Amino acid sequence: IVEKNGSMIRPVAGRGASEYLQSLHDRERERQKAEKSYIPDTGGETLAGTSPWMDRTRWPITYKGVRRDILRRLTEMPPVSSPADHFLGQGSNPMDQDIISSQEDEVKISLLMILVDRMLDRCEETARHTGRSLLCWLRSTKPLTCYPKPFTLVGLKVSENKYRRYFKRFLALAFRAYRMPIDVRHRLTGIRFKKK
């Protein structure tokens, strides 16, 4: 080992060497990106996945072997301005085509989100002007008995916005999944729609 000026590290000199190193780094990043994109996320065992809540909901059983990366992208909200094709994922192997939600569908989903907000605003307004007895029936879980306390709206605006966002994400998932080719939807997401 040769030491120079107190250091054993030698800088690589020359423009060709730095260009070569840069191209080497770029190729390695591309290789890692390509390798990562073909590994489907089907939800391996994690600490969060072993909680009592997960046992109670039986989600690990329900979604076993399902592509969670695609499920996640199905729930993403469309952009407010100028929706474009929405990338949902890649097929099971590298030769499969990308799975996308078309720009036309994304425009429809964007409009649907606006309509959902208007519908929920109207429902809230109706609930505010509805009598106590009807609100007690609305809260009841039994068909022949009335609940003693009335149905109430969510108190905090932050909570209301969160519930609305979850509801809209669910609608986006349902719409995008419905528009996917049936065989791809069954194989990659496990989502099945019934005609009844």
Side-chain angles (χ1 to χ4, degrees), residues 122-185:
R122 183 144 183 208
C123 290
E124 286 178 8
E125 191 62 28
T126 301
R128 282 188 191 96
H129 294 92
T130 301
R132 178 182 167 82
S133 61
L134 284 177
L135 291 174
C136 289
W137 277 107
L138 182 61
R139 188 169 178 185
S140 177
T141 57
K142 298 175 183 167
L144 299 176
T145 57
C146 182
Y147 196 80
K149 295 179 182 176
F151 169 82
T152 56
L153 296 171
V154 177
L156 297 173
K157 191 68 175 168
V158 173
S159 299
E160 177 189 334
N161 290 338
K162 189 183 285 188
Y163 283 123
R164 283 183 181 223
R165 193 169 45 251
Y166 283 137
F167 184 58
K168 290 192 281 190
R169 287 177 61 191
F170 168 73
L171 290 176
L173 175 139
F175 189 85
R176 286 182 182 127
Y178 180 76
R179 298 288 292 157
M180 285 175 75
I182 294 171
D183 61 323
V184 173
R185 183 178 68 222

Side-chain angles (χ1 to χ4, degrees), residues 80-97:
V80 177
S81 61
S82 65
D85 287 348
H86 182 69
F87 176 76
L88 298 174
Q90 197 165 26
S92 299
N93 62 54
M95 303 309 287
D96 288 347
Q97 290 185 350

Side-chain angles (χ1 to χ4, degrees), residues 43-61:
E45 282 292 315
T46 63
L47 181 60
T50 59
S51 70
W53 170 253
M54 295 300 280
D55 289 341
R56 195 173 319 121
T57 59
R58 300 177 54 92
W59 284 354
I61 296 166

Side-chain angles (χ1 to χ4, degrees), residues 12-104:
V12 177
R15 186 174 161 195
S18 63
E19 287 175 359
Y20 173 75
L21 283 174
Q22 184 61 43
S23 71
L24 187 64
H25 282 288
D26 291 342
R27 284 186 302 190
E28 180 61 17
R29 281 191 202 102
E30 287 297 318
R31 186 193 66 76
Q32 288 175 346
K33 185 178 173 183
E35 185 179 90
K36 192 173 186 180
S37 69
Y38 292 119
I39 300 173
D41 177 14
T42 56
E45 282 292 315
T46 63
L47 181 60
T50 59
S51 70
W53 170 253
M54 295 300 280
D55 289 341
R56 195 173 319 121
T57 59
R58 300 177 54 92
W59 284 354
I61 296 166
T62 303
Y63 296 108
K64 184 176 183 178
V66 169
R67 293 277 303 274
R68 294 182 185 183
D69 57 325
I70 294 176
L71 287 177
R72 223 176 287 115
R73 288 188 191 109
L74 283 171
T75 65
E76 290 174 351
M77 295 293 289
V80 177
S81 61
S82 65
D85 287 348
H86 182 69
F87 176 76
L88 298 174
Q90 197 165 26
S92 299
N93 62 54
M95 303 309 287
D96 288 347
Q97 290 185 350
D98 289 346
I99 303 162
I100 62 161
S101 175
S102 70
Q103 181 178 7
E104 296 162 349

